Amino acid sequence: MGSSARLRRYMSDNGPLILDGGLATELEAQGIKLQGDPLWSARLLHTNPQAIRDAHHRFLLSGADVITTATYQASITGFINHMDVSSERARELLMSGVHLAKETVDRFVSDSRPTGQRWPLVAGSVGPYGAFLHNGSEYTGAYAEEMSVEELKVWHRPQMDCLAAAGADFIAFETIPSIKEAEALVELLREFPNSKAWLSFSCKDGKCISDGSTFTDAVQIANRSTQLVAVGVNCCSPALVEPLLDSARSLLSPDMSWVVYPNSGEEWDTEQGWLTSEKASASIPDLSRTWVKQGAALIGGCCRIAPAHIAELRHQLKGSSPASAV
């Protein structure tokens, strides 16, 4: 059964799919230093692939139905510039993100022998161009003002090619801050007709994505694609999700669902790190039932969301612990 058909069967038979949480958050919890690295967790594809496998496995044990590859900040150019490897080796490293995730799923299935529909899927992460710039611009999208749609397609094409070739079940275009970049990704996806994807935006408030465009305009861009299975938001405060989805409720294509995976609600400060705020009191598990009523079919977490949070989310939505769910 193809990944798209499996997704639809999951959603029709068993409610929303549970995504994983913050991969880098979990790696850092294990003592791995990532802050300040322009490759972030993607460097570990070269230096410590076992740490990635272990983090993936902990999210699977917590109840995740989908795990996302350690390729958010990975790119051919980035690997060449920051690790002094050949373009061929850079391509191998990018593809290895999918291979590691798939190996971990195979191990999980072999060990736990899940019943029914619980056969986890792998989403190949494609971060925005701003992630490569390593300057926080994935939360502004300002770089897109100086780039054309074609230039953005040229940038993303090698990463997309690697993830598709490695056999990712889906491509996760995530934390996209710009309408123009969304247009580029929707156009680029057509070059890979056998791939399915979701498109998830970073947002500045309850109505707008990070570049100031309305979320309604962003959803209309997604509607141009027949290959997108979902559109939505990630790495924003949980409190913003309901108004964002509500703002575009009448625009969602019948063939698509919402994908939602906010962060903890804490705020990032480049000098002080993560800062607790009042927004952090709105937790993902507590709000998740509302998102399901709004049509969300893929729900998980982003930064600062650990396996324990995903286990709580699964219990909230599925009424079972991860152990009894497999």
Side-chain angles (χ1 to χ4, degrees):
M1 181 181 295
S3 56
S4 183
R6 284 158 65 195
L7 173 63
R8 296 189 188 287
R9 190 182 74 174
Y10 264 123
M11 294 188 295
S12 62
D13 293 351
N14 202 32
L17 281 178
I18 306 299
L19 307 182
D20 58 8
L23 180 62
T25 297
E26 179 59 16
L27 290 167
E28 289 179 324
Q30 302 306 311
I32 295 171
K33 305 298 183 185
L34 301 177
Q35 295 301 331
D37 192 324
L39 294 175
W40 208 27
S41 54
R43 184 178 294 275
L44 300 183
L45 293 170
H46 177 65
T47 61
N48 194 350
Q50 188 58 45
I52 295 173
R53 288 191 192 93
D54 291 345
H56 283 325
H57 195 249
R58 285 189 288 273
F59 277 116
L60 289 171
L61 289 173
S62 76
D65 297 312
V66 182
I67 54 173
T68 306
T69 60
T71 53
Y72 173 81
Q73 212 141 331
S75 65
I76 302 298
T77 302
F79 283 140
I80 292 172
N81 289 353
H82 299 296
M83 288 200 301
D84 194 27
V85 298
S86 67
S87 58
E88 181 179 353
R89 176 57 178 155
R91 180 178 171 84
E92 291 173 354
L93 285 171
L94 231 155
M95 294 178 70
S96 76
V98 177
H99 298 154
L100 291 175
K102 283 184 165 286
E103 289 167 13
T104 308
V105 167
D106 289 345
R107 171 190 163 197
F108 171 77
V109 170
S110 176
D111 290 349
S112 62
R113 301 184 183 280
T115 58
Q117 284 79 41
R118 183 93 202 279
W119 190 290
L121 302 168
V122 171
S125 173
V126 173
Y129 180 65
F132 165 73
L133 296 177
H134 193 56
N135 60 6
S137 57
E138 65 258 56
Y139 300 107
T140 67
Y143 54 85
E145 296 175 9
E146 301 174 1
M147 300 178 73
S148 68
V149 168
E150 285 303 317
E151 286 171 331
L152 287 163
K153 287 168 64 177
V154 167
W155 165 257
H156 283 291
R157 188 175 285 115
Q159 288 73 250
M160 179 71 186
D161 182 57
C162 289
L163 296 173
D169 293 307
F170 303 97
I171 304 299
F173 298 127
E174 50 186 3
T175 328
I176 304 304
S178 159
I179 282 284
K180 188 185 290 183
E181 192 161 18
E183 290 176 3
L185 292 169
V186 165
E187 289 185 16
L188 180 63
L189 186 58
R190 297 188 193 119
E191 298 179 19
F192 302 88
N194 295 323
S195 294
K196 298 293 184 180
W198 74 65
L199 175 59
S200 184
F201 293 90
S202 68
C203 298
K204 61 189 297 185
D205 55 38
K207 290 185 177 181
C208 296
I209 67 172
S210 292
D211 73 352
S213 303
T214 64
F215 183 61
T216 55
D217 285 346
V219 171
Q220 288 175 316
I221 295 293
N223 283 341
R224 298 177 185 175
S225 175
T226 59
Q227 293 170 253
L228 288 177
V229 298
V231 60
V233 299
N234 75 289
C235 212
C236 64
S237 167
L240 297 181
V241 173
E242 183 179 354
L244 282 162
L245 300 191
D246 189 56
S247 73
R249 65 187 182 279
S250 64
L251 298 174
L252 189 66
S253 164
D255 296 325
M256 274 199 289
S257 303
W258 294 126
V259 55
V260 171
Y261 50 118
N263 57 36
S264 64
E266 295 165 274
E267 296 181 354
W268 173 255
D269 182 275
T270 54
E271 295 182 358
Q272 302 179 64
W274 288 97
L275 305 175
T276 301
S277 70
E278 293 181 3
K279 297 177 184 177
S281 63
S283 78
I284 291 173
D286 290 344
L287 298 175
S288 61
R289 289 184 181 275
T290 296
W291 304 337
V292 171
K293 291 177 182 176
Q294 291 180 288
L298 301 99
I299 301 177
C302 201
C303 298
R304 306 286 280 180
I305 301 301
H309 299 113
I310 297 304
E312 185 182 354
L313 173 66
R314 185 175 189 94
H315 181 76
Q316 180 73 263
L317 294 181
K318 307 286 190 178
S320 61
S321 67
S324 63
V326 296

